[in-house]
Amino acid sequence: MVAVAMAAALSSCGSSKNSMASAPRSTNPFGDVYEAPAAENDTEDYFGATGIASGPQARMGELQLAALTNAQNMIRQKMKHAYKGAVDDYMNSVGNNSGTDIEAKIERGGTQLIDVIVNDTQASKGPVFSAVDDKGNVNCFIGIRISKKAVADKIADYVSEDEELKIRFKEDQFRQRMKESFKDFKENK
C-alpha cells in the first residue's frame, strides 16, 4: 500500500523509471549488524554482559565508567532474575508453610549480596573504543563476567549463616538449586 502511494507520488512529480532505479534499495533498518568488540555472553559457567557508552573523545575515562556501569546493571538484572527463580523453586520444593517471611528474608539477603558482588566486578574485556566520528564522539565497549558457581556459593553461605534461617534451611538442597538455576540461565539471543 505504501509502495503504491510512493510510486504514485513519484510518477506525479514527473519522475522517470531511471530515477527509480537509482533510488536506494530497502535495507535492514539497523544497517550492518556486528558483534560488540568486547562481547561477553552468558555461558553455562558465567553471567556475561557488554556495556556500551557513547560520548566525546575528550571524556574517554568517564565513558569507561559509564560502559562498566551499563554492563553491571545488565548482569545485576540477570542474576536477580535467576536468583528469584531459584528461591521460588527451593521454597516450592521444601513446602514451607510459614515460608512468606523466610522467603522474603532469603530473597532480600541474596539480592543485597548480588549488588555487592556486581559492584565489585572489573572489566574482563576492554575497554575497546570505536573510531572518532565526525562530531568527535567515540563508543566505548566493556565486557564483564561473573562466575555462576561462585555467586551461588556466596549466597548459600550467607543464607546458611543467618540464625533465624538455619532452623528451616536445608543448605545442601538450596545450594544445589541455586547452582542449577544459575547454570540453566542464559539470556535469549
Side-chain angles (χ1 to χ4, degrees):
M1 188 86 171
V2 173
V4 172
M6 283 180 52
L10 288 173
S11 65
S12 69
C13 293
S15 298
S16 69
K17 278 189 171 183
N18 284 343
S19 66
M20 289 287 283
S22 65
R25 291 185 175 174
S26 175
T27 60
N28 181 345
F30 303 106
D32 292 333
V33 179
Y34 300 97
E35 184 173 308
E40 279 287 6
N41 299 312
D42 296 326
T43 67
E44 205 171 271
D45 298 321
Y46 291 94
F47 287 104
T50 303
I52 304 170
S54 299
Q57 178 186 15
R59 301 185 53 86
M60 290 171 74
E62 288 85 359
L63 292 178
Q64 289 180 55
L65 181 58
L68 178 62
T69 301
N70 178 247
Q72 288 172 330
N73 288 334
M74 285 188 279
I75 236 173
R76 178 180 289 111
Q77 292 307 313
K78 292 181 204 182
M79 290 172 67
K80 287 181 179 180
H81 177 76
Y83 179 66
K84 172 85 169 102
V87 170
D88 289 348
D89 186 42
Y90 172 74
M91 295 308 285
N92 288 335
S93 74
V94 296
N96 192 343
N97 293 332
S98 62
T100 324
D101 293 338
I102 300 299
E103 184 174 358
K105 189 163 187 173
I106 289 173
E107 267 188 54
R108 189 172 41 255
T111 299
Q112 290 171 347
L113 191 56
I114 285 171
D115 286 337
V116 169
I117 292 167
V118 171
N119 289 342
D120 196 35
T121 57
Q122 301 297 316
S124 59
K125 290 186 179 177
V128 176
F129 290 92
S130 69
V132 180
D133 69 12
D134 57 349
K135 294 179 183 174
N137 293 323
V138 294
N139 294 321
C140 177
F141 303 89
I142 289 183
I144 64 172
R145 66 182 188 161
I146 298 175
S147 168
K148 292 177 178 181
K149 181 186 179 309
V151 172
D153 286 341
K154 284 180 183 179
I155 291 172
D157 291 345
Y158 170 81
V159 172
S160 68
E161 291 172 5
D162 186 288
E163 289 300 321
E164 181 184 342
L165 295 176
K166 272 186 184 179
I167 299 165
R168 297 184 184 104
F169 182 66
K170 298 174 182 161
E171 180 181 350
D172 291 337
Q173 189 178 8
F174 182 70
R175 188 179 301 271
Q176 188 59 34
R177 294 225 186 247
M178 286 287 299
K179 287 179 183 177
E180 288 170 10
S181 179
F182 281 10
K183 183 178 179 181
D184 293 341
F185 183 87
K186 284 191 182 178
E187 186 176 45
N188 295 335
K189 291 282 175 195

